[in-house]
Amino acid sequence: MINITLKQNPEDYTIRHLVRKMTNTGDQQLSWNFHRASHFLVVTHPAKTPCDLEADILPWLAKNGEALLESGKKNADGILWNVIQERKFLAANNRFTIPRGSLTNGIPYRIQIFPCDIQEDQWDIYQVEEDANVAVIPVSILMEIQYKKPFLSKNQVCMFRAKFDVNRLEGVLRYKPSCSRCQFPVSVESMRAAREGWLYVWLPRGEDLTISVAPEYKDYYNIRIADD
Amino acid sequence: MEKCTAFFGLYFIYKAKPDGRGRLMEESGGRKLVQNCISHLKGTLKTDGGRNRALYPVITVFFGEQSAEHFPTIRDTLEINWRTDAQYLKYLNIVKTDHGYVSSDLVTGEKDEENPSAFVEKAVVEMLGKELAFENKSRTRFEYILLGEDEDAKEYYDFMINTKLGSHYNTFKTMFIMMDERTADNRQKIHDLLGYITENRTKTKKDLGTVYLLSNYLRSGFVLQDDYQLSQNYRLVADLILMGGNQGEDDNSGVISTVENFDTIKTAAYAIKEKPVRSIAIISLQKMMRNLLEESETNYNQTAGDTRQSAEKILEKLGIRGGKIQCLEEIFEKSILSIFPSPQEVQYLAFLNEQEYKNIYKEKRVSSQRLNKATGGNWNLFFEENYKNKMENLLSDERFISECLGKIEKAWRSALSYGDALSGLKDREDGKVGEVRNALENLTLASAVASGKSIEEGVHLWAVEEARKMFYSHMIQLLSKLLSDIHQAAKKFKDCYINLEKEVNKEPIDNKEENIRSYYENLAENFIRKNGNEISSDIFNLKNGSEDIIQSLENAFKKLIKNDPIYAMAFDEELQTRLSSMTDVNKVLAIQRVLEVEIETMVRLHGHDTSYEGNILGTYYLMKQGETYANELTGGHFTIFHLNRTDCIEKIAIYNLDSPGKYCDLTRMVGEV
């Protein structure tokens, strides 16, 4: 049984200049600077699933920490857990790689890195200020938009659909007609029920429609409009 | 703690009195109210057009902080009599500190901490520079007022003696030593000062001028105690200053030489029969306050009806009727409605297909559920984001809610009378909320949904109505709390009023005259009977704080004293009117009872030595020209000194304490040590 202590020491135990990039092979490569740490705990979880240090991470570690330390990595309930020794991290030129196959496609991930001081059964985990230890792997949503202009009508029909697994888009998508001051959230239910996913919006001729991501998910999704 | 506040050019001194436990007890303004009412009443008094003027420039110096408290009494008397000249008179306060003296001008507030003599000289020069003021500038009169029991009295006395302005200006010095003989400690200090003066008489002969000893312990054994009685001695001082340098229609040279002299120690006897301005003001105010409170509560109980009727009337006043609350409706209309989308926005909802869209627009009226189905849940999301969430955000905006409550409170406090708030909003005896709050808390909101002209408008109005329900639900508890607060405010208001009334009732009045109370209570009662409603609505207004109550009561008092000419009458006219049922002989007797007692008993000294009683220098009646009482005076051993004021007759006898060719022992003039 390990003993975990949550500590705050933003001066010594820090994560700085955290950068994520995708390699040519599709792996996710993370690099960061630090001042002191014997290990790093890296938690990679689906971005829309809350993963709080005190509420989620520490209880899981209390049960599985020993095994994690032994194996260095563990995948449980869609969350990827890694513990990296300082020595190995330095040897890799301050880089850590998450292989392509260990993450599910189409799901944005949030990666939290905590500097640790692990001495036998004693784990000191340090909190890092202002999300300097957080990186995100975003996902692009491909959208198709078409306009139909019925003959002699003042209006046009704007049709749009997501070329994406819509079941994963609960609360994510919204649109704004250029003639309106409102944002219109798009329900998953409507995207599922619509034939081939096409939704229909009636707009005055000359107006158009912009698709966007809800503010709370804007770091996790990008909108890409398909060419006609 | 003492405050000195200027008000209409007069200065009032308020004191917080220590309570029984030695702490300072704050007053709620009763004294201020009384002082202001007295001042309003004085302001209405007719003045005599007499031609008194200040013959010489006069500078009055108050030694020590406490003596300066009586500055208004001195200034009032001189202002009434010397009018234009009085504005150029100087009143200085000199206070000894650990490091020297602090001098200040009591009128302008100007201060000096360096050289008190220079400060005094500057004041003299300023007076002499007034071209049209004062009949004669060849002499400047210095009037010093010193409390005999002051710790620093000897230093002040020396300061008076050693101020050598005489070589530059022809000065005439008079010092009034005010003796508060209420405690043995005070008597000892006064004894020490008088011993010091006696010892130095020969040395100070050239610089002494006149010294008056004026004690609060009278020859008769009566001790002047409260502020009002003590102020009589300062009134006497003011009269002596007036008599010592007055240019009037009469030849005052004899009076001047009696009042002021070189190297003499004097005292005076004093009696005053005045229009009982203070008593009139206090009695009228007391009666007015009592009747107003009673009337406001009686009126409410008469008009309110039973609890249910009363509650209905209050709900009506609050605009709570027909399942709506007027003020919430107004706020919703003016400040909330605009945060929602316009009905036209609804037409941009995303539909599942073209057919659903067409079907919807074929129907005359579409429910929220129907639209939601056609849009695959998009309508619900749109409603939540653009109506529900916006409403919730607004309701959690403390500033917005506080502004709403502020507006409502203002409106409700204006709408509710004091009686409504005090009696109509109180909780039931079993502790449950009263009828009004109960009706508010259980309000069934009337539906305001109208069928819209279009599909969009119909669903928009439904959404707005949902938001309105949220608004009502959130606000009703707050409004119930607000009503409770208003009720508490009314209780507090009543406490404040009652405290004020208690303070007014505590103010000392001269009750010796028989019918002042009954006469003026009757006037006040009649006035309130006729004008009570209007005045009540001004005073018993929930918007009023304690300062407002005081102001409203002052306004009511001003109306009262305008209502009957007796308030503005001169002393003798008021007496004639008030004692109309009394025979002329008895009216004269009423004055004589005060003025024609053995004058020796009114001497302002109570020491062992009474040998000065034979050294009477003059007896003076101070009264307005044409005063009828003058006809009642017989014998030739008095002089009439005409006053410009019409509210009193005063009698002053001046005694020389020194025997011919022999200095007196001043220590024998103080009571037993």
Side-chain angles (χ1 to χ4, degrees), chain B residues 421-436:
Chain B
L422 187 71
S423 309
L425 294 182
K426 68 181 173 198
D427 287 345
R428 283 170 24 180
E429 281 172 8
D430 59 8
K432 290 181 180 163
V433 294
E435 289 271 337
V436 175

mmCIF file of all heavy atoms in Angstrom, chain B residues 421-436:
data_model
loop_
_atom_site.group_PDB
_atom_site.id
_atom_site.type_symbol
_atom_site.label_atom_id
_atom_site.label_comp_id
_atom_site.label_asym_id
_atom_site.label_seq_id
_atom_site.Cartn_x
_atom_site.Cartn_y
_atom_site.Cartn_z
ATOM 1 N N ALA B 421 -46.975 49.549 7.485
ATOM 2 C CA ALA B 421 -45.739 48.798 7.718
ATOM 3 C C ALA B 421 -45.668 48.288 9.149
ATOM 4 O O ALA B 421 -45.209 47.175 9.399
ATOM 5 C CB ALA B 421 -44.534 49.675 7.420
ATOM 6 N N LEU B 422 -46.128 49.102 10.076
ATOM 7 C CA LEU B 422 -46.007 48.709 11.489
ATOM 8 C C LEU B 422 -47.052 47.667 11.868
ATOM 9 O O LEU B 422 -46.745 46.649 12.477
ATOM 10 C CB LEU B 422 -46.145 49.953 12.389
ATOM 11 C CG LEU B 422 -45.875 49.719 13.850
ATOM 12 C CD1 LEU B 422 -44.391 49.472 14.090
ATOM 13 C CD2 LEU B 422 -46.338 50.895 14.688
ATOM 14 N N SER B 423 -48.303 47.919 11.501
ATOM 15 C CA SER B 423 -49.369 47.018 11.940
ATOM 16 C C SER B 423 -49.766 46.009 10.863
ATOM 17 O O SER B 423 -50.043 44.849 11.166
ATOM 18 C CB SER B 423 -50.605 47.841 12.331
ATOM 19 O OG SER B 423 -50.237 48.852 13.221
ATOM 20 N N GLY B 424 -49.816 46.458 9.617
ATOM 21 C CA GLY B 424 -50.313 45.594 8.554
ATOM 22 C C GLY B 424 -49.349 44.508 8.132
ATOM 23 O O GLY B 424 -49.750 43.505 7.564
ATOM 24 N N LEU B 425 -48.061 44.699 8.393
ATOM 25 C CA LEU B 425 -47.080 43.713 7.925
ATOM 26 C C LEU B 425 -46.555 42.822 9.044
ATOM 27 O O LEU B 425 -45.637 42.043 8.837
ATOM 28 C CB LEU B 425 -45.889 44.426 7.265
ATOM 29 C CG LEU B 425 -46.164 45.178 5.965
ATOM 30 C CD1 LEU B 425 -44.876 45.771 5.427
ATOM 31 C CD2 LEU B 425 -46.766 44.250 4.921
ATOM 32 N N LYS B 426 -47.126 42.990 10.225
ATOM 33 C CA LYS B 426 -46.547 42.199 11.322
ATOM 34 C C LYS B 426 -46.964 40.721 11.207
ATOM 35 O O LYS B 426 -48.003 40.409 10.628
ATOM 36 C CB LYS B 426 -46.912 42.789 12.673
ATOM 37 C CG LYS B 426 -48.343 42.696 13.065
ATOM 38 C CD LYS B 426 -48.538 43.355 14.413
ATOM 39 C CE LYS B 426 -50.023 43.420 14.743
ATOM 40 N NZ LYS B 426 -50.335 44.360 15.771
ATOM 41 N N ASP B 427 -46.119 39.867 11.773
ATOM 42 C CA ASP B 427 -46.409 38.442 11.739
ATOM 43 C C ASP B 427 -47.545 38.105 12.699
ATOM 44 O O ASP B 427 -47.890 38.895 13.575
ATOM 45 C CB ASP B 427 -45.147 37.649 12.127
ATOM 46 C CG ASP B 427 -44.113 37.687 11.013
ATOM 47 O OD1 ASP B 427 -44.489 38.054 9.888
ATOM 48 O OD2 ASP B 427 -42.947 37.370 11.279
ATOM 49 N N ARG B 428 -48.105 36.923 12.482
ATOM 50 C CA ARG B 428 -49.193 36.517 13.375
ATOM 51 C C ARG B 428 -48.643 36.202 14.753
ATOM 52 O O ARG B 428 -47.451 35.996 14.932
ATOM 53 C CB ARG B 428 -49.898 35.285 12.798
ATOM 54 C CG ARG B 428 -50.811 35.663 11.669
ATOM 55 C CD ARG B 428 -51.347 34.496 10.904
ATOM 56 N NE ARG B 428 -51.390 33.231 11.621
ATOM 57 C CZ ARG B 428 -51.835 32.097 11.076
ATOM 58 N NH1 ARG B 428 -52.262 32.100 9.828
ATOM 59 N NH2 ARG B 428 -51.836 30.974 11.755
ATOM 60 N N GLU B 429 -49.548 36.176 15.730
ATOM 61 C CA GLU B 429 -49.084 35.945 17.103
ATOM 62 C C GLU B 429 -48.454 34.572 17.286
ATOM 63 O O GLU B 429 -47.608 34.375 18.148
ATOM 64 C CB GLU B 429 -50.239 36.148 18.084
ATOM 65 C CG GLU B 429 -50.475 37.631 18.334
ATOM 66 C CD GLU B 429 -51.721 37.905 19.134
ATOM 67 O OE1 GLU B 429 -52.320 36.944 19.632
ATOM 68 O OE2 GLU B 429 -52.087 39.086 19.226
ATOM 69 N N ASP B 430 -48.887 33.598 16.453
ATOM 70 C CA ASP B 430 -48.305 32.253 16.580
ATOM 71 C C ASP B 430 -46.948 32.157 15.870
ATOM 72 O O ASP B 430 -46.371 31.080 15.765
ATOM 73 C CB ASP B 430 -49.276 31.189 16.039
ATOM 74 C CG ASP B 430 -49.627 31.428 14.562
ATOM 75 O OD1 ASP B 430 -48.995 32.307 13.949
ATOM 76 O OD2 ASP B 430 -50.514 30.733 14.048
ATOM 77 N N GLY B 431 -46.444 33.286 15.380
ATOM 78 C CA GLY B 431 -45.111 33.307 14.776
ATOM 79 C C GLY B 431 -45.120 33.079 13.271
ATOM 80 O O GLY B 431 -44.096 33.227 12.615
ATOM 81 N N LYS B 432 -46.277 32.697 12.734
ATOM 82 C CA LYS B 432 -46.343 32.483 11.285
ATOM 83 C C LYS B 432 -46.419 33.835 10.577
ATOM 84 O O LYS B 432 -46.813 34.828 11.189
ATOM 85 C CB LYS B 432 -47.572 31.638 10.931
ATOM 86 C CG LYS B 432 -47.433 30.203 11.401
ATOM 87 C CD LYS B 432 -48.630 29.391 11.023
ATOM 88 C CE LYS B 432 -48.452 27.955 11.516
ATOM 89 N NZ LYS B 432 -49.701 27.232 11.539
ATOM 90 N N VAL B 433 -46.068 33.820 9.294
ATOM 91 C CA VAL B 433 -46.076 35.097 8.573
ATOM 92 C C VAL B 433 -47.496 35.641 8.503
ATOM 93 O O VAL B 433 -48.469 34.884 8.470
ATOM 94 C CB VAL B 433 -45.497 34.970 7.141
ATOM 95 C CG1 VAL B 433 -44.037 34.634 7.183
ATOM 96 C CG2 VAL B 433 -46.280 33.973 6.311
ATOM 97 N N GLY B 434 -47.584 36.972 8.484
ATOM 98 C CA GLY B 434 -48.899 37.621 8.463
ATOM 99 C C GLY B 434 -49.603 37.444 7.129
ATOM 100 O O GLY B 434 -49.063 36.841 6.196
ATOM 101 N N GLU B 435 -50.813 38.031 7.064
ATOM 102 C CA GLU B 435 -51.674 37.859 5.883
ATOM 103 C C GLU B 435 -50.991 38.303 4.585
ATOM 104 O O GLU B 435 -51.081 37.628 3.564
ATOM 105 C CB GLU B 435 -52.953 38.687 6.070
ATOM 106 C CG GLU B 435 -53.904 38.149 7.104
ATOM 107 C CD GLU B 435 -54.889 37.159 6.530
ATOM 108 O OE1 GLU B 435 -55.126 37.220 5.314
ATOM 109 O OE2 GLU B 435 -55.384 36.312 7.286
ATOM 110 N N VAL B 436 -50.322 39.455 4.658
ATOM 111 C CA VAL B 436 -49.778 40.027 3.425
ATOM 112 C C VAL B 436 -48.652 39.155 2.882
ATOM 113 O O VAL B 436 -48.632 38.794 1.702
ATOM 114 C CB VAL B 436 -49.270 41.467 3.678
ATOM 115 C CG1 VAL B 436 -48.593 42.026 2.433
ATOM 116 C CG2 VAL B 436 -50.420 42.362 4.103
#
